Amino acid sequence: MNKKIKILLLEDDTILAQTMVQILEQEDYDVTLVNDGEEVMEYTYENRYDLYLFDINVPLLNGKEALKLLRDAQDNTPTFFITALRDTNSILDGFDSGCDDYIKKPFDLDELLARIKAVLKRRNPVLQYGDITFDLLENRVLKQNEEVALGNVEKEIFSLLIKNINMTVNKTTFFDYMNKPSDSALRVLISKLKKVLDLNITNTKGIGYKLEKL
């Protein structure tokens, strides 16, 4: 089963919000709905998301203010503003706040879905390591073009290794992605990856693991 893409939706229009959640969940996205900008800050502090969909005119912190705070905190999650604002200055101001795209109300849901897929594809490239391909958007690992059966935690571990080739990843970083983190559990995960994918992973005792450069 592929890992679900997590979306944080900021929308205070109840009917529109419910419609969007329903449509997005039908596309197998994992959607969290919040009603104001302060809730955005609370949820993003505790969770990682793959995409933000922010209405601008919402209570407390508006969408632009919330995104500016996130960008100032080095959160580069792709973000769409959903808004009825149409003047050029408002749109330019939104891009200055750090958004990736605008969706103007009223909008076509098929267009929204197409834009979401496009921006996620750009932000989630396919990684290559020898004869191994890791499609980060689809969360699929292939070896010699054949999909390899790996659990989500194993894929997270491999993702950390392949993104940090020839660098030692601290074991505590791996622990963040494990349900019951321990040195022994991590060793089991690493051993499976080495066996199934035929990887050259080295261990720096007491520190972490490194995927060797080909």
Side-chain angles (χ1 to χ4, degrees), residues 62 64 191:
N62 68 40
K64 289 180 184 177
S191 295

Side-chain angles (χ1 to χ4, degrees), residues 81-139:
F81 279 144
I82 303 167
T83 180
L85 298 174
R86 293 181 177 274
D87 65 280
T88 302
N89 288 336
S90 295
I91 292 174
L92 292 176
D93 186 42
F95 283 115
D96 286 341
S97 300
C99 80
D100 295 84
D101 206 348
Y102 256 88
I103 299 291
K104 297 177 184 177
K105 297 179 181 177
F107 54 84
D108 181 82
L109 288 169
D110 287 337
E111 179 188 356
L112 173 63
L113 294 173
R115 289 201 194 183
I116 288 174
K117 289 177 181 177
V119 75
L120 289 174
K121 198 68 177 178
R122 290 198 301 271
R123 292 297 189 99
N124 293 272
V126 173
L127 302 178
Q128 196 74 37
Y129 182 79
D131 61 357
I132 300 169
T133 302
F134 192 176
D135 187 324
L136 297 177
L137 178 58
E138 298 293 335
N139 199 37

Side-chain angles (χ1 to χ4, degrees), residues 13 24 45 107 153 164 194:
D13 181 325
L24 292 167
Y45 180 78
F107 54 84
V153 175
N164 296 278
K194 290 172 70 173

